[in-house]
Every structure is written in structure tokens, then in C-alpha cells.
Amino acid sequence: MAKTSMVNREVKRTKLAKQHGTKRDALKKIISSQDASYEEKMEAAVKLQKLPRDSSPARQRSRCALTGRSRSVYERFGLGRMKLREATMRGDVPGLRKASW
């Protein structure tokens, strides 16, 4: 099990990314625009920097839905490798089975 504080931190980052997502997108559009003046671009860059750091989607990390483990998580299933293997052995994951040859 992952530390509860780490899982809670990830929940906070997800919430902040949703909250500030439209504002971030608008500012990034201004910064990358060909029509905007240099002053407008610099002003947008400063506003973007003043947003909370955790509101960036790049700071989010995928976690296992059952254990909260952050490494070796299969996005398709939302589970870590160990829990995915256990679920596969029980037959809980349709279309997935242990390889044998």
C-alpha cells in the first residue's frame, strides 16, 4: 500500500488540474499565438507562472486503483502489475490470461 499522504496529494493535483485547466489552456494559446504581441505573450507567461504548480497535468502520476502504487501501473486496467496478475489469475479481467507456451 502506498502512503495515504501520497495518494491524497495525487487527488489534490487532479482536482487542481481540473479547476485551472481552462485558464491554463487559454494562456498557453496566447503564448503560442502568432497574432499576439510580445507584451501580451509575456503577460500571459507571467499569469501562467502564478498559477499553482500542482495544477499542471504533467505533475500527475498514474496510480493503482486498489493499492495506490505509482510504479508499473497499466493504464488500460488502472491496476498495478501485482494486482493485475492476481485479478487475472482469479479470472476477473476479461480477455486476459497468463501466457503459456
Side-chain angles (χ1 to χ4, degrees), residues 11-43:
V11 169
K12 175 186 165 189
R13 285 180 179 152
T14 304
K15 186 180 87 172
L16 280 173
K18 252 184 227 175
Q19 183 179 351
H20 296 285
T22 55
K23 191 183 292 185
R24 289 183 77 85
D25 290 340
L27 291 172
K28 284 187 175 189
K29 193 175 282 187
I30 292 171
I31 292 171
S32 64
S33 171
Q34 296 288 332
D35 302 331
S37 68
Y38 179 76
E39 289 79 21
E40 290 173 338
K41 289 183 180 185
M42 293 308 293
E43 184 180 333

Side-chain angles (χ1 to χ4, degrees), residues 25-83:
D25 290 340
L27 291 172
K28 284 187 175 189
K29 193 175 282 187
I30 292 171
I31 292 171
S32 64
S33 171
Q34 296 288 332
D35 302 331
S37 68
Y38 179 76
E39 289 79 21
E40 290 173 338
K41 289 183 180 185
M42 293 308 293
E43 184 180 333
V46 169
K47 285 182 182 177
L48 186 64
Q49 290 172 357
K50 293 206 178 192
L51 288 177
R53 184 174 287 172
D54 281 341
S55 68
S56 172
R59 290 179 64 91
Q60 293 176 2
R61 182 132 180 144
S62 59
R63 291 192 172 270
C64 176
L66 299 177
T67 62
R69 181 180 166 90
S70 63
R71 294 181 180 214
S72 67
V73 175
Y74 289 82
E75 283 292 325
R76 184 173 178 184
F77 306 104
L79 298 173
R81 63 182 172 85
M82 295 172 284
K83 291 298 175 182

